[in-house]
Amino acid sequence: MASTNNVTELIITGLFQDPEVQRVCFVLFLPVYLATVVGNGLIVVTVSVSKSLHSPMYFFLGYLSLVEITYSSTIVPKFITDLLVKVKTISLKGCLAQIFFSHFFGVTEILLLMVMAYDRYVAICKPLHYMNIMSRQLCHMLVAGSWLGGFIHSIIQVLITIPLPFCGPNVMDHYFCDLQPLFKLACKDTFVEGVVVLANSGLISVFSLVILVTSYIVILFNLRNRSAEGRRKALSTCASHITVVILFFGPAVFIYMRPSSTFTVDKLVAVFYTVITPMLNPIIYTLRNAEVKVAMRKLWARRRTQGWEHDK
């Protein structure tokens, strides 16, 4: 017999219960989110308009920054505004939408990181064939495949969740909607659904991380016969990417590859990959990449020059 949902609205417990701590979090996290949007947006604009950043590596970096903005914007704005209210609520449909888009953009980012690792592999291990292999058509296909993969993953997650009956209670122990906290509110045993989610989310993270680590082991192996200067240049282009991979996959594997719990540490780890990491990515890529810094300076100088001419 089909179950009827009596719950149409969920109450979110939030990150902390103390109003003073929540206000402090608001003051801390609002600038972080603004920095995420501005920093990643600046990379998107710079890559789009700069003639010196038209290589496949920067093409992928521009899309990665775009995904960072959309992923963060799926969760953080509501999280920040909820810090100022006593009772934090979200509709069940809104909760499902947040789950869909957060997983959509999250898995798209994972796949883009794998695409960027493949790009570095071809550039370093097959430099003479790089431009032939990494054609514009292939680059567009790889980006489209990343978006498609994220969409398919998210559709599966939501289709698993929609049939579940929710008849109360309606209090979710988290600061945003995710699958495991929502499953705890279902009026049936969700062991099977939990296993499917583990396979769909956790194993994607683990397999992707294994592929990424393997690709960089192969790259390092191929660098041993290069000159010291050649190794330095090659490693400098990979260092930023490796740092981002570690920051992204570490918390994701921690959350999805172990039994769910009610520990506050789960929520704190989630803050790291939903709020902090998207802000760090543009800093990591710009600080370690001279070409991006030069392109940003030229863009800024051009804007200032246009502003002066407009004032005249």
Side-chain angles (χ1 to χ4, degrees), residues 123-190:
I124 294 171
C125 300
K126 300 182 179 181
L128 298 179
H129 304 284
Y130 177 68
M131 294 311 298
N132 289 331
I133 296 174
M134 300 303 296
S135 64
R136 180 167 292 274
Q137 181 181 7
L138 178 62
C139 290
H140 281 96
M141 288 176 62
L142 290 172
V143 169
S146 299
W147 288 99
L148 180 61
F151 178 79
I152 293 172
H153 163 83
S154 298
I155 282 291
I156 293 172
Q157 304 290 65
V158 172
L159 290 179
I160 291 169
T161 309
I162 288 176
L164 293 177
F166 296 96
C167 48
N170 68 333
V171 179
M172 180 184 294
D173 186 20
H174 216 308
Y175 67 90
F176 70 97
C177 284
D178 206 358
L179 290 164
Q180 293 295 349
L182 185 62
F183 283 174
K184 293 178 181 178
L185 304 182
C187 301
K188 61 164 284 189
D189 180 70
T190 57

Side-chain angles (χ1 to χ4, degrees), residues 80-225:
I80 292 175
T81 54
D82 280 347
L83 291 169
L84 299 179
V85 299
K86 186 174 182 179
V87 180
K88 306 163 182 57
T89 61
I90 186 170
S91 68
L92 183 59
K93 290 181 179 179
C95 184
L96 291 172
Q98 190 177 63
I99 288 172
F100 172 82
F101 286 109
S102 62
H103 281 261
F104 174 36
F105 296 125
V107 172
T108 300
E109 180 172 356
I110 289 176
L111 297 177
L112 279 173
L113 288 172
M114 293 177 65
V115 166
M116 293 174 75
Y118 174 69
D119 171 72
R120 291 300 83 209
Y121 163 77
V122 175
I124 294 171
C125 300
K126 300 182 179 181
L128 298 179
H129 304 284
Y130 177 68
M131 294 311 298
N132 289 331
I133 296 174
M134 300 303 296
S135 64
R136 180 167 292 274
Q137 181 181 7
L138 178 62
C139 290
H140 281 96
M141 288 176 62
L142 290 172
V143 169
S146 299
W147 288 99
L148 180 61
F151 178 79
I152 293 172
H153 163 83
S154 298
I155 282 291
I156 293 172
Q157 304 290 65
V158 172
L159 290 179
I160 291 169
T161 309
I162 288 176
L164 293 177
F166 296 96
C167 48
N170 68 333
V171 179
M172 180 184 294
D173 186 20
H174 216 308
Y175 67 90
F176 70 97
C177 284
D178 206 358
L179 290 164
Q180 293 295 349
L182 185 62
F183 283 174
K184 293 178 181 178
L185 304 182
C187 301
K188 61 164 284 189
D189 180 70
T190 57
F191 175 77
V192 174
E193 288 81 1
V195 170
V196 175
V197 166
L198 176 63
N200 197 20
S201 294
L203 295 184
I204 283 179
S205 298
V206 171
F207 288 152
S208 301
L209 182 58
V210 169
I211 292 172
L212 286 164
V213 170
T214 303
S215 68
Y216 281 107
I217 290 174
V218 173
I219 288 172
L220 292 173
F221 182 79
N222 278 270
L223 286 176
R224 60 197 174 93
N225 295 324

Side-chain angles (χ1 to χ4, degrees), residues 256-267:
Y256 288 105
M257 286 306 294
R258 68 187 191 89
S260 60
S261 70
T262 57
F263 297 151
T264 303
V265 68
D266 283 10
K267 290 191 275 189

